[in-house]
Amino acid sequence: MYLAIREMRFAKGRYALIATIMVLVAFLVLFVTGLAQGLAYDNAASVKNMTATHFVLEQNSNHRFTRSQLNQNQLEQARLAVGEGNAEPLGVKMTTVIPAGDTKKVDVTLFMVNPNGWLSPTVSEGSSISEQQVGQVMVDRKLSESGVQLGSIIEDQASGMQWKVSGFVENESFSHSPVVFLNKQDWLNLQTKSTAPQGAESAENPVYNAIALKNTSSDQIENVVKVLPGTEVITKSEAISAIPGYKEEQGSLVMMIAFLFVISAFVLAVFFYVITIQKTSQFGILKAIGTGTAYLAKSVALQVLVLSVGSLLISVLLVQAFESILPATMPFQLGFSTLALTCISFVVMSLAGSLFSVWKVAKIDALDAIGRTAA
């Protein structure tokens, strides 16, 4: 440790340059990781926030809510299989709304939930919807950026139906669009408009997109599949992965993060390898006077560890400073667990990159190094 710290104090400029590069690389790794997590959450926040553990969907729907259709009878059968309070209907429809008095169109996702059920989100401002009130909805806070306020009227472009905003909810989005929550009666009215002139039949047999389940055992799930032929039961993670664009978006960002880790390890390895070559004669002299190879290797590894940890501390502060000034429209999320895992991975990759230098130190021959110095 003494040798490593003493050398870093002696060659301040050289190690400051390496530290600066590591800070920039670590900052980029952390920022892209936070952006990836933020985009993932923004793409599927409403599903992630649900207490549901499984979903019943129509077979051959590719695990997508919008491709599935289930009826009231199937909902009742599912409730008999898992318990009355453990199954809730869920309607999902992507559409475009227009705030009253405005010409700006906003893409949203309609969620039909039971206002008294466990799928209904918590209202942060205003009041919740009820099963008896028709024409009232809860909307995600993001819609306020489009001029929507409590009491505002929004109109569905496709059906022409209008709803009054009774409350705001937080962090409720689906496929990067804010979610609008409505009750069963408004959902039925929407289906009546969409299926006219067969509206009466639709009202008698409402169509849902999924049945959300919770507190279910494996035996109950198998029973659901048996009593509901033509359906499948998927987990919440499978439902999230099936959201349009989710896997593709996350796949690209994860690949970018992986390449950044590899690049950071490579850059660090090259820097320390060059420095090690420059110090070959000094290492040879140290070996000649009895310094062990293990001690020298530990010194190189300690320098890498100090630089990587110090760079990460500075990078974390920079990321937090940038996060505080990022616009609300840019999804960014870097939780403690993700931050810790990213930092540990960065340190591990940095130490792995130093193995080239350690290998070079181990291969140095003291007599050859002293001979070159004398020459």
Side-chain angles (χ1 to χ4, degrees):
M1 177 179 291
Y2 174 79
L3 178 62
I5 301 301
R6 186 66 180 269
E7 184 182 5
M8 292 178 68
R9 291 177 60 186
F10 177 77
K12 297 183 182 67
R14 175 188 297 173
Y15 287 97
L17 177 61
I18 299 175
T20 301
I21 294 175
M22 291 186 67
V23 166
L24 295 176
V25 174
F27 171 79
L28 188 58
V29 169
L30 291 173
F31 188 81
V32 174
T33 301
L35 185 61
Q37 292 295 314
L39 287 171
Y41 185 74
D42 186 69
N43 203 350
S46 290
V47 180
K48 289 184 176 182
N49 293 340
M50 292 179 180
T51 55
T53 57
H54 295 80
F55 295 94
V56 182
L57 298 179
E58 185 182 8
Q59 277 187 349
N60 302 321
S61 61
N62 293 333
H63 297 178
R64 292 191 179 184
F65 293 142
T66 53
R67 295 181 179 178
S68 172
Q69 289 189 340
L70 302 174
N71 56 43
Q72 183 67 28
N73 180 60
Q74 290 172 311
L75 172 62
E76 298 300 330
Q77 292 294 324
R79 284 176 169 171
L80 290 175
V82 301
E84 182 73 20
N86 293 329
E88 287 286 343
L90 174 66
V92 180
K93 179 180 175 62
M94 304 186 75
T95 186
T96 301
V97 298
I98 306 173
D102 197 351
T103 58
K104 183 178 180 180
K105 299 179 180 180
V106 184
D107 292 328
V108 300
T109 302
L110 303 177
F111 269 30
M112 188 286 300
V113 296
N114 177 10
N116 301 319
W118 42 266
L119 283 183
S120 183
T122 303
V123 177
S124 61
E125 184 182 357
S127 59
S128 177
I129 58 176
S130 67
E131 197 61 56
Q132 292 75 29
Q133 291 177 323
V134 179
Q136 293 196 0
V137 294
M138 299 180 298
V139 302
D140 181 66
R141 176 72 66 178
K142 290 181 182 178
L143 280 178
S144 62
E145 300 171 4
S146 301
V148 176
Q149 302 175 352
L150 290 178
S152 296
I153 303 298
I154 57 176
E155 180 180 339
D156 178 31
Q157 183 184 21
S159 65
M161 291 186 61
Q162 294 184 341
W163 302 295
K164 181 180 179 181
V165 177
S166 66
F168 284 109
V169 294
E170 304 292 337
N171 300 321
E172 295 291 345
S173 56
F174 182 87
S175 193
H176 295 303
S177 63
V179 172
V180 174
F181 292 89
L182 61 160
N183 61 21
K184 180 180 177 180
Q185 188 57 53
D186 281 315
W187 182 256
L188 289 174
N189 293 339
L190 182 64
Q191 289 183 347
T192 302
K193 292 273 188 178
S194 302
T195 58
Q198 292 86 19
E201 180 182 350
S202 175
E204 294 176 0
N205 190 17
V207 176
Y208 309 114
N209 296 99
I211 299 173
L213 307 177
K214 71 170 186 175
N215 300 330
T216 51
S217 63
S218 57
D219 292 337
Q220 288 176 318
I221 292 175
E222 291 179 2
N223 193 25
V224 169
V225 176
K226 290 179 181 178
V227 299
L228 295 178
T231 65
E232 60 180 352
V233 180
I234 64 172
T235 62
K236 182 191 288 189
S237 59
E238 289 175 328
I240 292 173
S241 298
I243 295 176
Y246 183 89
K247 290 193 297 186
E248 294 79 5
E249 179 181 84
Q250 289 301 299
S252 300
L253 290 170
V254 169
M255 183 171 292
M256 288 174 58
I257 295 171
F259 272 111
L260 285 173
F261 274 119
V262 174
I263 291 171
S264 63
F266 181 78
V267 169
L268 190 63
V270 170
F271 267 101
F272 273 91
Y273 188 76
V274 171
I275 293 175
T276 302
I277 292 176
Q278 292 175 344
K279 297 186 299 182
T280 299
S281 59
Q282 290 91 330
F283 281 131
I285 294 172
L286 288 172
K287 280 190 173 184
I289 63 177
T291 306
T293 300
Y295 180 82
L296 296 176
K298 288 179 182 178
S299 297
V300 174
L302 180 61
Q303 289 177 347
V304 175
L305 181 63
V306 170
L307 287 173
S308 59
V309 172
S311 301
L312 279 171
L313 291 176
I314 298 174
S315 300
V316 169
L317 295 177
L318 288 175
V319 168
Q320 291 179 343
F322 267 79
E323 184 179 2
S324 63
I325 62 175
L326 286 176
T329 54
M330 179 178 290
F332 186 90
Q333 199 174 62
L334 193 61
F336 177 78
S337 58
T338 304
L339 178 63
L341 180 61
T342 305
C343 291
I344 292 173
S345 300
F346 185 83
V347 172
V348 171
M349 291 297 293
S350 298
L351 290 174
S354 69
L355 292 178
F356 289 103
S357 300
V358 172
W359 173 80
K360 181 63 178 177
V361 170
K363 298 291 290 184
I364 292 175
D365 183 84
L367 293 178
D368 289 342
I370 293 174
R372 284 193 296 273
T373 304

